[in-house]
């Protein structure tokens, strides 16, 4: 459920017509709904009701500071994967004890930044990382709270590029080696073991793989406790999927996920952390774009938009589907015809959809890509020297630009021509 609906024939974000924002900000732009973000956070928070828990928004899905402040004010923590994300979280007012640090390649600088700035825990992904973190923490006279990310060797049944829990994936340590590495961790003066971490992939559309992984985590918890470790926190990762196409079967909802967590892990008396990204922000955002041209090819029609793969990379990167809808509601019974929806970038990969059935559209018309709030703006680039796409946040009848479109001057000024040229 989201708050992007037609009213009087015009697509709105909450109470604001998206066409009004287009007139003010220009196209393309991303628009997010406060009510939808809030609703999705509460769904997860309530799903874990009764368990000691923290919902840590995986901010790689959407990292605008305004959105982080909104979620942080609701009580969310965040999962960060870089020093830049850590800095954004702090800029949004999120305290260190609600920030978890994930990622296979943390640098010493990032470790220092988080240790001195405050951190809930590092999710450590390898033995070499563990040793470096020990060294950095000891050097600062601190102890780093850690979980070890274990790889349960479970196929999440999702897209290859976003599957992370199989033994051929680069993430975590093999679960079979976990007890040895925990023993090593316990011997390091700069390390404090607090729990276990697992994250098996993204855009999962069934609970089975989660349940299989969490079953292994339950066993590992008992085994590690038997070895004398304090395991008081389980970080279960993110990954619950969303319906990208309106007619697709809907994936499980947070309440069902929460019930499964209770069933598999509730008896362990652990603090539970989850790291949803996509399900919190995906359907809370749209990308609005204008039709530039309708080009009749030999055997197909191309709808050429002013948005491109640099603004929304998912279709080019993962072959992902996004529903595309006109901002003016089509008349009932309007004839739909297949068109190829493309952007202006000089690559054939700059194709959003092939043979997509759309109602008649003409140059100047506006369209919205639905479900674009996660892994949308954060993956945008300035390829083809197209200015970074702006972001707008709506609450009720208010809307604000939360990241402005840079001017050409601002873009060019970042380049430096050496004096010797
Ligand atoms: C990407 C990622 C997430 C979020 O995944 P979603 O599918 O967006 O929920 C959570 N935790 C880790 C470690 C990740 O890499």
């Amino acid at each position: 459920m989201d708050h992007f609906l037609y009213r009087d024939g015009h697509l709105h974000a909450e109470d604001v017509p998206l066409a009004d924002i287009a007139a003010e900000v220009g196209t393309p732009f991303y628009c997010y709904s406060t009510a939808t973000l809030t609703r999705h956070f509460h769904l997860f928070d309530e799903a874990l009701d009764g368990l000691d828990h923290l919902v840590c928004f995986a901010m790689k899905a959407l990292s605008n500071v305004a959105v982080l402040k909104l979620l942080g004010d609701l009580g969310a923590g965040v999962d960060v994967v870089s020093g830049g994300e850590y800095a954004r979280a702090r800029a949004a007012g999120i305290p260190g004890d609600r920030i978890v640090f994930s990622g296979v390649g943390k640098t010493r600088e990032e470790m220092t930044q988080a240790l001195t700035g405050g951190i809930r825990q590092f999710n450590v992904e390898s033995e070499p990382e563990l040793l470096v973190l020990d060294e950095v923490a000891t050097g600062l006279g601190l102890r780093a709270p850690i979980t070890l990310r274990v790889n349960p060797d479970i196929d999440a049944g999702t897209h290859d590029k976003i599957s992370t829990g199989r033994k051929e994936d680069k993430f975590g340590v093999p679960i079979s080696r976990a007890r040895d590495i925990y023993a090593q961790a316990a011997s390091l003066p700069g390390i404090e073991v607090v729990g276990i971490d697992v994250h098996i992939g993204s855009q999962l559309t069934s609970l089975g793989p989660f349940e299989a992984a969490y079953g292994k985590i339950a066993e590992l918890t008992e085994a590690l406790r038997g070895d004398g470790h304090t395991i008081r926190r389980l970080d279960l990762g993110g990954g619950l999927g969303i319906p990208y196409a309106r007619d697709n079967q809907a994936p499980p909802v947070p309440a069902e996920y929460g019930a499964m967590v209770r069933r598999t892990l509730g008896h362990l008396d652990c603090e539970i952390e989850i790291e949803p990204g996509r399900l919190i922000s995906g359907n809370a955002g749209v990308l609005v774009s204008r039709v530039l041209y309708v080009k009749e090819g030999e055997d197909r029609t191309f709808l050429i938009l002013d948005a491109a793969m640099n603004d929304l990379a998912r279709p080019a990167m993962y072959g992902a589907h996004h529903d595309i809808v006109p901002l003016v509601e089509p008349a009932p019974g309007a004839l739909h015809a297949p068109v190829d929806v493309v952007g202006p970038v000089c690559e054939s990969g700059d194709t959003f959809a092939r043979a997509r059935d759309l109602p008649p559209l003409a140059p100047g018309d506006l369209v919205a890509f639905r479900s674009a709030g996660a892994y949308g703006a954060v993956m945008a680039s300035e390829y083809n020297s197209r200015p970074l796409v702006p972001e707008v946040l709506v609450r009720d009848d208010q809307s604000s630009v939360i990241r402005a479109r840079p001017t050409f001057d601002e873009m060019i000024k970042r380049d430096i021509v050496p004096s010797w040229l």
Side-chain angles (χ1 to χ4, degrees):
M1 215 221 97
D2 61 51
H3 291 78
F4 296 96
L5 299 169
Y6 288 111
R7 278 200 218 161
D8 306 323
H10 295 274
L11 192 65
H12 283 60
E14 303 191 17
D15 300 332
V16 184
L18 283 164
D20 287 3
I21 302 175
E24 193 188 317
V25 176
T27 53
F29 66 91
Y30 279 95
C31 177
Y32 311 118
S33 151
T34 303
T36 313
L37 288 162
T38 303
R39 180 185 136 80
H40 290 165
F41 170 75
H42 284 312
L43 284 181
F44 274 113
D45 203 31
E46 284 158 19
L48 298 178
D49 220 10
L51 294 170
D52 185 5
H53 71 273
L54 184 67
V55 178
C56 294
F57 177 55
M59 64 176 276
K60 74 176 194 279
L62 175 56
S63 59
N64 189 291
V65 171
V67 170
L68 299 181
K69 174 163 190 328
L70 165 73
L71 293 170
D73 288 351
L74 296 173
V78 287
D79 171 47
V80 308
V81 293
S82 71
E85 286 196 350
Y86 182 90
R88 282 180 174 278
R90 295 310 306 259
I94 295 173
D97 64 5
R98 280 196 260 143
I99 303 176
V100 304
F101 206 134
S102 299
V104 292
K106 303 176 194 80
T107 64
R108 286 169 190 266
E109 291 72 24
E110 287 170 333
M111 291 170 180
T112 303
Q113 178 189 9
L115 280 167
T116 52
I119 189 79
R120 181 178 181 84
Q121 97 230 359
F122 293 90
N123 294 331
V124 171
E125 300 227 13
S126 67
E127 289 162 279
E129 180 195 336
L130 184 67
L131 296 176
V132 170
L133 182 59
D134 173 56
E135 214 178 282
V136 172
T138 315
L140 293 166
L142 296 168
R143 286 185 88 198
I146 68 129
T147 68
L148 191 65
R149 176 166 175 182
V150 296
N151 183 328
D153 192 20
I154 301 257
D155 189 346
T158 184
H159 191 284
D160 215 38
K161 285 188 187 157
I162 49 176
S163 186
T164 59
R166 304 166 300 184
K167 62 175 182 291
E168 64 267 36
D169 297 321
K170 71 179 175 184
F171 299 97
V173 299
I175 197 161
S176 55
R177 298 225 38 236
R179 288 173 78 175
D180 287 347
I181 302 173
Y182 273 93
Q184 186 185 12
S187 74
L188 298 172
I191 297 293
E192 180 199 1
V193 170
V194 298
I196 309 173
D197 171 47
V198 67
H199 170 76
I200 58 171
S202 199
Q203 185 54 15
L204 272 75
T205 51
S206 74
L207 290 181
F210 286 118
E211 185 152 7
Y214 298 170
K216 291 190 176 188
I217 296 303
E219 280 173 28
L220 181 62
T221 302
E222 313 261 22
L224 291 174
R225 284 178 172 170
D227 292 345
H229 300 289
T230 304
I231 303 296
R232 56 185 166 85
R233 184 179 294 169
L234 300 177
D235 183 331
L236 304 180
L240 201 54
I242 61 171
Y244 275 99
R246 202 164 275 192
D247 42 3
N248 274 11
Q249 208 198 344
V253 295
E256 297 169 82
Y257 174 86
M260 180 273 293
V261 167
R262 226 177 288 273
R263 191 163 69 237
T264 47
L265 300 164
H267 60 288
L268 293 168
D269 195 28
C270 279
E271 189 181 356
I272 300 291
E273 284 167 4
I274 54 170
E275 304 169 344
R278 192 185 306 271
L279 207 152
I280 288 185
S281 68
N283 286 333
V286 294
L287 171 67
V288 175
S289 175
R290 192 177 293 278
V291 177
L292 295 177
Y293 300 104
V294 181
K295 172 170 157 175
E296 299 295 342
E298 274 206 348
D299 56 358
R300 51 214 312 149
T301 302
F302 295 98
L303 195 67
I304 302 174
L305 303 181
D306 67 359
M309 63 190 287
N310 69 296
D311 303 309
L312 176 64
R314 299 188 66 258
M317 199 160 159
Y318 312 116
H321 173 101
H322 285 267
D323 278 350
I324 301 169
V325 296
L327 258 50
V328 176
E329 190 172 20
L335 223 52
H336 285 54
V339 292
D340 282 12
V341 184
V342 303
V345 161
C346 311
E347 299 212 20
S348 296
D350 187 22
T351 298
F352 291 116
R354 288 207 181 273
R356 179 73 61 88
D357 277 328
L358 289 179
L361 286 161
D365 287 351
L366 294 165
V367 297
F369 290 82
R370 296 182 56 89
S371 310
Y375 307 105
V378 287
M379 285 191 183
S381 76
E382 289 182 345
Y383 187 39
N384 278 211
S385 286
R386 295 166 47 84
L388 206 56
V389 57
E391 297 172 279
V392 174
L393 185 65
V394 165
R395 183 169 71 187
D396 303 326
D397 61 356
Q398 309 174 69
S399 75
S400 287
V401 173
I402 56 172
R403 175 184 286 168
R405 193 189 315 277
T407 64
F408 293 149
D409 258 0
E410 286 165 339
M411 289 166 59
I412 294 164
K413 267 201 312 230
R414 294 196 310 251
D415 295 3
I416 300 164
V417 180
S419 60
W420 42 261
L421 261 191

